[in-house]
Amino acid sequence: MSARAHDDSVDTRPDPVNLILAQWQRERPDLDPAPMRLFGTLARAHLLTTPYMNAILADHGLVRGTFDVLSALRRAGPPFSLTPKQLSESLMLSAAGMTSRLDRLEGLRLVARLPEPNDRRSLKIQLTQRGVRMIDDVIPQIIAAQWQIVSRLGARKTKTLIDLLAAAAEALTIAGNGAAD
């Protein structure tokens, strides 16, 4: 069998999401768990992205969480700095979770905590020159790996998936704000 044929083969392992639905249907036949397929599949896909990215990042001494911080700072543009609150909001992360990431990145000399000139009680987190070089080296590798996945889907399926996920995110935002249908 050629490598290409192997790459296109279908995974015959049971889908864990379908297994969960079957279990709920067996245990609670009075409920229709169909929406769980969407939420379960979405969660599974998201969970699979972390080890995929971490395999690339490991060569650089990073994991997804630390990469996300470096990426947010790099995207901010020169001087590549944000407040801890801005970083937490950008990454949807608690202050405690942000602190541990910043401690790790500071230990690697990839970021520096600097006093905020306009408010002595506040800090700015800034990429060091080493941090800028690191993210500039890593981001092309991450994008190339993401292209490998996207190319397997094709342009049409990718666009459809993006549109559907954006609609789901909007519906979740509305539901989270307590708005009625």
Side-chain angles (χ1 to χ4, degrees), residues 129-164:
Q129 288 182 355
R130 179 179 169 150
V132 173
R133 284 191 307 271
M134 172 76 75
I135 193 65
D136 282 350
D137 287 345
V138 171
I139 196 66
Q141 296 171 44
I142 292 295
I143 291 172
Q146 291 172 341
W147 270 112
Q148 287 179 343
I149 300 301
V150 168
S151 67
R152 291 182 69 103
L153 293 174
R156 177 175 278 154
K157 283 183 181 176
T158 298
K159 177 166 181 357
T160 299
L161 183 57
I162 290 168
D163 291 345
L164 291 171

Side-chain angles (χ1 to χ4, degrees), residues 72-73 75-76 81-93 98 116 122-125:
L73 289 167
R75 289 190 321 264
S81 66
L82 295 168
T83 66
K85 182 179 179 183
Q86 289 170 319
L87 273 171
S88 292
E89 289 172 355
S90 172
L91 301 175
M92 299 174 281
L93 191 65
M98 181 57 63
E116 169 61 64
S122 187
L123 294 172
K124 283 275 194 182
I125 308 303

Side-chain angles (χ1 to χ4, degrees), residues 34 40 51 56 70 97 135 181:
I56 298 160
L70 296 177
I135 193 65
D181 290 308

Side-chain angles (χ1 to χ4, degrees), residues 40-62:
T41 302
L42 184 58
R44 183 169 181 246
H46 176 71
L47 288 173
L48 290 170
T49 65
T50 297
Y52 182 74
M53 288 180 61
N54 282 347
I56 298 160
L57 296 169
D59 290 341
H60 303 279
L62 299 173

